[in-house]
Amino acid sequence: MTSIGIYGSQGKMGQAIAGVAPSLGARLAGGADAGDDPAGLARKADVLVDFSTASAIEAHLAAAVAARTPIVIGTTGLTPRHHALIDAAADDIAVLQTGNTSLGVGLLARLVREAAARLGSEWDVEIVEMHHRDKIDAPSGTAILLGEAAAEGMGTTLAEAAVIGREGLTGARATGTIGICSLRGGSVVGDHSVILATAGERIELIHRAQDRAIFARGAVQAALWLAGQEPGRYTMDQVLGV
């Protein structure tokens, strides 16, 4: 039975993963949080799952590489430097990094990519996300994931196309941009809407998370899949087989 080690085990997602892992055929190798030794957990586990903080990613990747243990990274708020570290680690171990481990969101991203590619530049793309009041980063990792999918379909990158929020006299909307708006309040687990609009009509693709367990199940499924992979950087699309 594959053993999973959890970085960020005392957080909401870490606890949810621990709760669903046995029912999905995984054994818990243990957990590590701020102040714990990440290397010990990496040596004990067959695969690691990281839902900690962006500031801990470097140490966790180093521990995973030293132990040759694959790692699923669901931590959000990552910077280009973090992604460079992930790319480097993927030379030695299997790494799956995603802004959302829900299988439903994985499919949504695929639909967004296809819609943006097929509809063309006459359609504007806007993304609206809402999370609970305690979420510490914005936009959400899922909004970024969906924005990247839209940008890929449009033949650009999110770095080039993103407009994060709007304020003041912004002028007319620029063609080819991707707007992202973040809302925070209450206990919302995660709502994401991708709006594709043109003159006279619009399409809305929506995912609403009602239970954090959906992300936990997806993370465990991703970890079980990743445990048997060669070194490289992987995505949830590959877990889904699409």
Side-chain angles (χ1 to χ4, degrees):
M1 183 179 289
T2 302
S3 64
I4 295 178
I6 305 170
Y7 288 136
S9 63
Q10 295 305 306
K12 293 177 181 177
M13 273 302 301
Q15 292 179 56
I17 290 168
V20 303
S23 67
L24 294 173
R27 180 174 62 83
L28 292 176
D33 295 273
D36 295 332
D37 174 24
L41 181 61
R43 289 191 295 268
K44 289 195 300 181
D46 295 321
V47 60
L48 297 160
V49 176
D50 193 331
F51 279 88
S52 58
T53 61
S55 61
I57 289 294
E58 184 170 4
H60 294 169
L61 283 171
V65 168
R68 294 295 188 267
T69 306
I71 184 170
V72 174
I73 299 174
T75 300
T76 57
L78 303 185
T79 66
R81 177 175 176 273
H82 293 126
H83 285 285
L85 291 170
I86 292 169
D87 288 339
D91 290 337
D92 299 306
I93 59 172
V95 183
L96 189 156
Q97 181 274 323
T98 180
N100 192 300
T101 53
S102 157
L103 300 184
V105 167
L107 181 57
L108 174 60
R110 188 171 182 83
L111 294 173
V112 169
R113 186 182 304 114
E114 183 174 351
R118 288 178 177 269
L119 293 174
S121 61
E122 293 302 310
W123 290 72
D124 301 322
V125 180
E126 296 284 310
I127 298 169
V128 180
E129 57 99 346
M130 183 170 185
H131 284 81
H132 54 88
R133 62 164 61 97
D134 295 324
K135 185 168 177 59
I136 61 174
D137 61 308
S140 68
T142 304
I144 297 299
L145 181 154
L146 295 172
E148 289 172 342
E152 184 179 344
M154 295 162 62
T156 184
T157 67
L158 188 60
E160 295 173 329
V163 176
I164 310 297
R166 294 185 178 90
E167 182 180 5
L169 298 173
T170 60
R173 188 186 196 282
T175 299
T177 56
I178 299 170
I180 303 178
C181 178
S182 298
L183 310 178
R184 296 289 177 266
S187 58
V188 178
V189 174
D191 291 354
H192 292 84
S193 299
V194 180
I195 303 161
L196 301 106
T198 191
E201 61 181 320
R202 72 177 183 269
I203 297 169
E204 297 185 22
L205 300 172
I206 300 171
H207 181 275
R208 290 192 172 94
Q210 298 174 313
D211 187 338
R212 195 167 275 103
I214 66 170
F215 309 124
R217 287 194 294 268
V220 173
Q221 288 172 284
L224 293 174
W225 180 88
L226 191 69
Q229 305 304 317
E230 295 296 319
R233 187 162 181 171
Y234 297 92
T235 68
M236 287 300 292
D237 269 2
Q238 290 164 293
V239 178
L240 286 166
V242 296

